[in-house]
Amino acid sequence: MARVSRKSAGAWPVRWDLLLRYRLIEVMALWEGRLTTNHLMRAFGIGRQQASKDINTYLADYGPGNLEYDRFLKGYRPVDTFKPVFTQGVADEYLQMMHAREDLACSFESLTVRELNTEVLLPPARDLRPAVLRPVLQACREGKRVEIEYASLANPEPEFRVIQPHTVVHTGYRWHVRAWCEKNGDFRDFVLSRISDRPELVLPGDRGVEDDEAWRTRVVVLLGPDPRLSPPQQALIERDYGMEHGELRLETRGALVSYLLQQLRVDTPAEHRSPEAQQVVVLNLDEVKRWAVMPG
C-alpha cells in the first residue's frame, strides 16, 4: 500500500475528517466501481461543491491517475493501474463501511445511508450497559481492582468477585473483559453482559497485562482445506480463503485462539460434521489446542 509520507516526525499531513473522506473515495471506487459526489455528500453531510473539491484534491495531491470520469456511469471509476493510498485495497475495508452504514440505518430510520444492492447481516446485540462498561474501562486504564457481581454457566447464581481487568475485547459476537480473577488465581474472560449492577472500583491492582502470558503470547493458526474434500473442492476452498500452497496463516493472541476457532467453525472435531459443512481444518491443532479454552 502506498502511504502518505509524514511532513515531520509525529505529524500526520492529512486532517482526520479528510482522511475519512479519502478512504471513502478509494473504497467506493475500488469495490463498487463508481464514485460520485453523492457518496461523500450522504456519508459526511457536506455540499456538492465540497464533495467535488475533495475528489479533485485527492486526484491532484494523493492519487493522481487513480480515477477517471466515465460519462456513461456519470461518476468516477478506478483505472486498471489503481494503487490505494489511504486504504489497503482489501475487502474487509468495504465490509466495515457497510457495517457502519447498517448501524446508522438501524439507529436513524429517516437517514438514507444504505447503498443499493448491498445488505449486511448484523449479529444480535448483547446486553452491554454503559454503567457496566465505563467503570471496567476505567479500571483497565488506572490499574484498579473492581468488584463485580457475576454469573456464569458454571455458576448461574450471581456471586461477588474481585477482578483486575486490563483489556476489553469484542469477539465479533459478544463483549468480554480480560482480567485477573482473585477468586481463581488466574487470568480469565468475563462476559460483560453477565455482570450485574454497577461495578465498584476498589484498591489499586497488582496484576496487569504484563503478567498475562496467554495475552502476550502470539499464536499462529494454520488452516487448510478439509482433506475429505475432493481435489477440485479443496482447490475451490483454497481460492475462497486466499490460501497459499494449501495453507492460510492466521496470527492472534493465545487468549483469543478459542474465539478465532469459534468464528471459523473449527472449534469442534471435523468428524462431527460433513466435509462440505466443515470446509477447513486446523493443520497445527496440537500446537494451538492448549489455548482453546472458552469462558463460562
Side-chain angles (χ1 to χ4, degrees):
M1 167 178 138
R3 296 187 183 275
V4 179
S5 61
R6 295 173 182 263
K7 293 181 179 178
S8 61
W12 183 254
V14 182
R15 294 200 325 258
W16 176 251
D17 59 329
L18 289 176
L19 177 63
L20 294 179
R21 295 182 207 174
Y22 295 152
R23 282 180 60 84
L24 183 138
I25 286 173
E26 291 192 348
V27 170
M28 296 306 300
L30 181 61
W31 293 102
E32 295 197 357
R34 177 177 178 265
L35 170 75
T36 70
T37 52
N38 285 335
H39 287 118
L40 293 166
M41 292 166 61
R42 291 168 59 185
F44 298 102
I46 59 179
R48 190 173 303 279
Q49 183 177 358
Q50 181 62 56
S52 180
K53 179 181 178 182
D54 289 340
I55 296 174
N56 290 330
T57 302
Y58 168 82
L59 287 171
D61 297 345
Y62 304 106
N66 265 355
L67 308 175
E68 63 182 11
Y69 190 80
D70 188 311
R71 293 179 180 274
F72 178 75
L73 292 176
K74 296 181 180 180
Y76 292 88
R77 65 178 179 84
V79 299
D80 293 338
T81 56
F82 178 90
K83 293 183 179 179
V85 179
F86 295 95
T87 60
Q88 296 179 354
V90 296
D92 277 358
E93 292 166 327
Y94 182 55
L95 177 62
Q96 289 165 9
M97 195 163 291
M98 290 174 61
H99 270 282
R101 292 176 186 162
E102 193 69 25
D103 286 339
L104 285 172
C106 291
S107 299
F108 306 99
E109 294 181 359
S110 61
L111 189 61
T112 306
V113 294
R114 290 190 181 100
E115 296 296 329
L116 297 176
N117 311 117
T118 62
E119 188 76 24
V120 177
L121 180 63
L122 298 177
R126 295 297 182 104
D127 178 30
L128 175 58
R129 288 153 286 134
V132 169
L133 183 59
R134 283 197 300 262
V136 168
L137 281 174
Q138 182 181 349
C140 291
R141 290 193 305 268
E142 299 177 1
K144 294 286 188 66
R145 287 178 166 90
V146 59
E147 186 177 68
I148 62 173
E149 191 176 0
Y150 190 73
S152 66
L153 292 179
N155 298 287
E157 291 297 325
E159 61 178 350
F160 284 99
R161 304 270 192 103
V162 176
I163 63 173
Q164 300 181 36
H166 63 70
T167 307
V168 169
V169 179
H170 186 257
T171 66
Y173 295 97
R174 69 181 183 185
W175 296 84
H176 72 256
V177 63
R178 183 75 177 171
W180 174 262
C181 176
E182 298 198 353
K183 173 186 175 182
N184 295 289
D186 59 7
F187 282 97
R188 298 196 171 194
D189 298 339
F190 294 87
V191 181
L192 291 176
S193 59
R194 295 176 182 170
I195 297 178
S196 305
D197 300 325
R198 183 188 298 270
E200 181 180 350
L201 272 67
V202 287
L203 299 173
D206 56 4
R207 296 278 185 164
V209 65
E210 66 279 359
D211 303 307
D212 191 346
E213 179 189 3
W215 185 262
R216 292 186 294 102
T217 302
R218 305 299 297 185
V219 178
V220 174
V221 179
L222 295 178
L223 294 182
D226 191 316
R228 297 174 296 172
L229 295 171
S230 68
Q233 289 175 321
Q234 292 187 41
L236 180 63
I237 296 302
E238 290 178 23
R239 188 164 63 250
D240 281 347
Y241 284 83
M243 295 180 181
E244 295 183 3
H245 308 295
E247 291 185 356
L248 177 63
R249 179 186 176 94
L250 301 174
E251 184 176 332
T252 188
R253 299 183 184 276
L256 300 179
V257 165
S258 294
Y259 304 103
L260 177 61
L261 300 184
Q262 192 176 50
Q263 284 183 347
L264 296 167
R265 301 196 303 172
V266 292
D267 54 328
T268 56
E271 58 269 20
H272 292 174
R273 307 174 67 200
S274 70
E276 290 78 15
Q278 183 68 28
Q279 298 189 359
V280 296
V281 296
V282 180
L283 300 177
N284 59 336
L285 186 59
D286 289 341
E287 298 175 26
V288 304
K289 64 183 180 182
R290 63 166 291 204
W291 305 105
V293 179
M294 300 299 295

